[in-house]
């Protein structure tokens, strides 16, 4: 009698899948946060952005980064890592977009939402798309009310 051997693939295990996806998300969000820090540094030293505001935001970004790093190193297969990261990223994007004229935040929102795709959680992706869409509308309205350089169609 021949014994059947079940094939077990690495990513069929939920823990391994979350570990892999969280690593991908960790790298992507760190790249985004480095971009935020570079924007604040360059805008405050070579542009017209207030240095106190810029360095305060750099401090916020670094604090968020510490939270994400500790959370990632504590449990690389955490189900909540991606959600916490996207919430912290959303807060920072809202602060940047509401207080500066940075146009790259639109693309940052798209990157954050794209990084959610490998989690394969359609319900969460739908909620995040709605939340970030509302955030984008609120930021555009805020910029239009402040008279910042906003395209007429966007406003």
């Amino acid at each position: 009698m021949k014994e059947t051997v079940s094939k077990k693939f690495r990513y069929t295990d939920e823990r391994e899948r979350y570990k892999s996806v969280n690593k991908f998300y960790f790298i992507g969000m760190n790249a985004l946060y480095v971009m935020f820090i570079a924007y604040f540094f360059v805008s405050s030293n070579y542009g017209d952005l207030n240095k106190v505001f810029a360095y305060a935001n750099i401090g916020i970004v670094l604090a968020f980064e510490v939270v994400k790093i500790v959370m990632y190193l504590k449990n690389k297969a955490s189900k909540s890592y991606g959600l916490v990261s996207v919430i912290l990223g959303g807060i920072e994007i809202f602060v940047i977009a509401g207080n500066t004229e940075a146009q790259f935040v639109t693309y940052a929102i798209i990157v954050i939402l794209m990084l959610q795709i490998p989690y394969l959680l359609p319900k969460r992706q739908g909620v995040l798309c709605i939340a970030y869409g509302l955030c984008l509308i609120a930021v555009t309205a805020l910029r239009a009310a402040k008279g910042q350089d906003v395209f007429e169609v966007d406003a």
Side-chain angles (χ1 to χ4, degrees), residues 117-128:
I117 292 170
Y119 281 101
L120 301 174
L121 300 170
K123 192 175 192 179
R124 181 163 89 181
Q125 289 171 348
V127 169
L128 289 174

Side-chain angles (χ1 to χ4, degrees), residues 47-114:
D48 58 352
L49 190 63
N50 185 335
K51 286 189 185 245
V52 173
F53 173 77
Y55 289 119
N57 268 295
I58 288 173
I60 291 170
V61 170
L62 291 175
F64 287 173
E65 187 65 23
V66 167
V67 168
K68 289 182 342 116
I69 288 172
V70 167
M71 194 172 171
Y72 178 75
L73 293 177
K74 187 175 178 184
N75 183 5
K76 292 182 180 180
S78 172
K79 290 182 180 181
S80 60
Y81 174 76
L83 188 59
V84 169
S85 292
V86 80
I87 290 170
L88 295 178
I91 291 169
E92 188 57 37
I93 283 176
F94 195 75
V95 169
I96 291 172
N99 295 305
T100 67
E101 294 182 11
Q103 295 297 325
F104 71 90
V105 293
T106 305
Y107 303 112
I109 289 172
I110 294 168
V111 168
I112 288 176
L113 291 175
M114 284 174 34

